[in-house]
Amino acid sequence: MKRLLALLATCTMLLGLTVLVSPPAAAATGCKVDYTITNQWSGGFQAGVKVTNLGDPVSGWTLKWTWPDGGQKVTQGWNATWSQSGSTVSATNVDWNRTLATGGAADLGFAGTFTGANPKPSVFTLNGVACTGSVGGEEPPPDPGTGTPVGINGQLKVCGVYLCNQYNRPVQLRGMSTHGIQWFSRCYNNASLDALAKDWKSDLFRIAMYVQESGYETDPAGFTSRVNSLVDMAEARGMYALIDFHTLTPGDPNYNLERAKTFFASVAARNADKKNVIYEIANEPNGVSWAGIKSYAEQVIPVIRAADPDAVIIVGTRGWSSLGVSDGSNETEVINNPVNASNIMYAFHFYAASHKDTYRAAVSRAATKLPLFVTEFGTVTYTGGGAVDRASSTAWLDLLDQLKIGYTNWTYSDADEGSAAFKPGTCNGTDYSSSGVLTESGALLKSRISTPDAFPTS
């Protein structure tokens, strides 16, 4: 994607720094640290820290460094337990990366704030021993079979009726959606995102930012910042982030046209150099014609393209994103009058206990003419409640797999409703994967999402 000009000069100076100093007299082990600023904005930045163990195997470790001017502060980190005292930072292993074999590495990351010049650390220690070594030769290229979804697929694009990866091959992304981040913010943290990426093996994370319902309109700056933070957390774990402008009531997206332009101008500029961002510009248009939705899309899409010309954009459809079926229409209104823009897809939503054969038939027909993405679906009724309809849910998921249509499930939350993946109270703890915390819907979706992806690379 096109990098922000304002960040280019700064990032050029800071990217790809390897810290090497003279070895101590008798180091018991050795290590190497690569400290990389991956993004920077006014007063804030994001960094990756890769520590490679060059000595004997280590079981249990803490990496430390001290910033030279004391103006930096870690605000959020991942792949380690982070703490800071004064200008000294400590990153301690978590359970899954506790052991570092000889030559083994751990990739950590954090977001932070800074004042002044944001200089790099000069000395790192691993378990109290200075990191002084170097790795000889070039590292082999990563094995695509063991990479992350973003690492394998890179920048996505629309090709024909498919979502395609950097190799111009069709791919299907499978993942989970947040509930409203104004209500369930506690569910989206390092532990839950680690679980989603590593245990659920999710390809993407949909960030549902309500516009009304105590959402964006009440605090535009705060909600924009929260969305950006969740995008960063998904990126750090190799997942795609689907930014959802969650319009629901009122259903005409034109009511929020100016808010949408403001929001998407901001997030597109800030995230333009990322490969993992997809934009969903109107969640569930309802009570509005397809012509009204198309007009809205053709005004919002250029705002995103001005900052980010490459990202995939998803347009909601009539009748709560049912391609008009819930309004008594069908997919032909979109096929015959498509949005005048490139690299876009169209949203389809369903709730398996309410939407069955008629809706599946519409998707089957539309998929031969339109690039579709199921940005939201549930295993229960359209209310979000009721019993899981396993037969209809399975029929839907089998169809989406067959057609290579990506999807995100509603919801990765502990809401007290049938559509939630977790039992109430789960988000007060740290377990987001075991059978003890999963609802029937959560167990079904985890079993489907965690099966191996078939991402072609040639």
Side-chain angles (χ1 to χ4, degrees):
M1 295 186 190
K2 185 179 293 182
R3 183 178 300 275
L4 285 173
L5 294 178
L7 299 180
L8 184 58
T10 301
C11 292
T12 300
M13 290 186 292
L14 296 173
L15 285 172
L17 297 175
T18 299
V19 180
L20 300 173
V21 296
S22 299
T29 186
C31 50
K32 171 180 177 284
V33 172
D34 295 290
Y35 180 95
T36 304
I37 302 292
T38 58
N39 204 350
Q40 186 164 300
W41 55 96
S42 178
F45 70 109
Q46 181 179 320
V49 184
K50 179 179 180 180
V51 55
T52 302
N53 178 27
L54 304 179
D56 294 333
V58 174
S59 181
W61 52 266
T62 296
L63 179 73
K64 291 188 177 183
W65 73 80
T66 299
W67 274 305
D69 76 350
Q72 299 95 331
K73 181 176 177 59
V74 173
T75 56
Q76 185 178 56
W78 45 89
N79 295 353
T81 300
W82 295 82
S83 62
Q84 183 169 345
S85 177
S87 58
T88 299
V89 176
S90 298
T92 301
N93 66 270
V94 289
D95 287 344
W96 56 266
N97 63 9
R98 176 179 179 83
T99 300
L100 286 180
T102 303
D107 286 295
L108 321 177
F110 67 91
T113 59
F114 72 96
T115 59
N118 195 17
K120 69 181 186 293
S122 57
V123 176
F124 295 84
T125 63
L126 184 68
N127 289 353
V129 177
C131 291
T132 62
S134 61
V135 177
E138 295 183 358
E139 295 183 6
D143 177 2
T146 60
T148 65
V150 176
I152 297 170
N153 294 302
Q155 178 63 57
L156 302 172
K157 62 179 76 69
V158 178
C159 52
V161 297
Y162 297 107
L163 181 66
C164 292
N165 64 12
Q166 63 181 329
Y167 303 101
N168 296 313
R169 297 293 302 277
V171 294
Q172 180 197 33
L173 301 182
R174 302 172 296 169
M176 298 295 291
S177 173
T178 72
H179 206 303
I181 57 177
Q182 75 273 43
W183 300 311
F184 292 92
S185 182
R186 70 185 187 284
C187 292
Y188 313 116
N189 52 55
N190 286 329
S192 67
L193 269 291
D194 283 344
L196 186 62
K198 297 184 178 297
D199 300 333
W200 289 63
K201 296 180 172 60
S202 181
D203 304 320
L204 77 163
F205 179 56
R206 181 186 188 233
I207 304 162
M209 187 199 71
Y210 279 75
V211 184
Q212 277 71 52
E213 293 93 7
S214 302
Y216 174 81
E217 68 176 2
T218 67
D219 182 10
F223 277 93
T224 301
S225 177
R226 179 61 170 150
V227 167
N228 285 332
S229 176
L230 292 171
V231 167
D232 292 346
M233 292 174 72
E235 179 188 38
R237 293 158 175 82
M239 292 189 292
Y240 290 94
L242 177 55
I243 299 177
D244 163 33
F245 196 68
H246 202 85
T247 51
L248 186 62
T249 304
D252 183 350
N254 291 287
Y255 177 84
N256 287 305
L257 178 59
E258 293 308 314
R259 294 186 183 95
K261 289 180 177 180
T262 299
F263 172 74
F264 283 112
S266 176
V267 295
R270 191 265 186 181
N271 297 301
D273 61 335
K274 297 181 184 295
K275 296 180 179 180
N276 74 316
V277 177
I278 304 169
Y279 301 99
E280 181 180 5
I281 62 174
N283 165 61
E284 288 189 346
N286 58 89
V288 61
S289 67
W290 169 243
I293 300 166
K294 180 176 181 287
S295 173
Y296 166 86
E298 290 175 353
Q299 294 176 77
V300 174
I301 290 172
V303 173
I304 297 173
R305 291 282 182 250
D308 191 345
D310 302 322
V312 172
I313 297 172
I314 302 176
V315 179
T317 57
R318 187 154 72 99
W320 293 272
S321 284
S322 69
L323 289 170
V325 178
S326 289
D327 279 353
S329 185
N330 58 48
E331 71 282 358
T332 59
E333 65 182 18
V334 181
I335 294 171
N336 294 334
N337 189 23
V339 171
N340 184 24
S342 61
N343 207 28
I344 66 168
M345 307 186 82
Y346 297 92
F348 187 85
H349 292 183
F350 68 85
Y351 280 78
S354 300
H355 308 130
K356 300 189 179 183
D357 289 343
T358 299
Y359 290 79
R360 284 191 282 268
V363 168
S364 296
R365 294 190 306 266
T368 66
K369 302 287 187 180
L370 298 172
L372 301 178
F373 202 109
V374 175
T375 57
E376 179 181 319
F377 78 95
T379 60
V380 295
T381 70
Y382 70 88
T383 66
V388 171
D389 189 328
R390 295 187 68 89
S392 182
S393 296
T394 300
W396 268 115
L397 293 172
D398 288 348
L399 177 65
L400 299 182
D401 290 351
Q402 175 190 337
L403 298 174
K404 278 194 175 294
I405 295 175
Y407 60 77
T408 61
N409 173 254
W410 187 269
T411 61
Y412 197 68
S413 77
D414 64 355
D416 190 12
E417 57 188 35
S419 64
F422 305 117
K423 296 174 182 177
T426 297
C427 294
N428 296 327
T430 58
D431 179 5
Y432 295 89
S433 297
S434 74
S435 59
V437 302
L438 296 178
T439 62
E440 182 181 359
S441 183
L444 173 61
L445 264 297
K446 182 172 181 283
S447 71
R448 297 289 300 223
I449 290 173
S450 62
T451 56
D453 289 305
F455 293 143
T457 58
S458 62

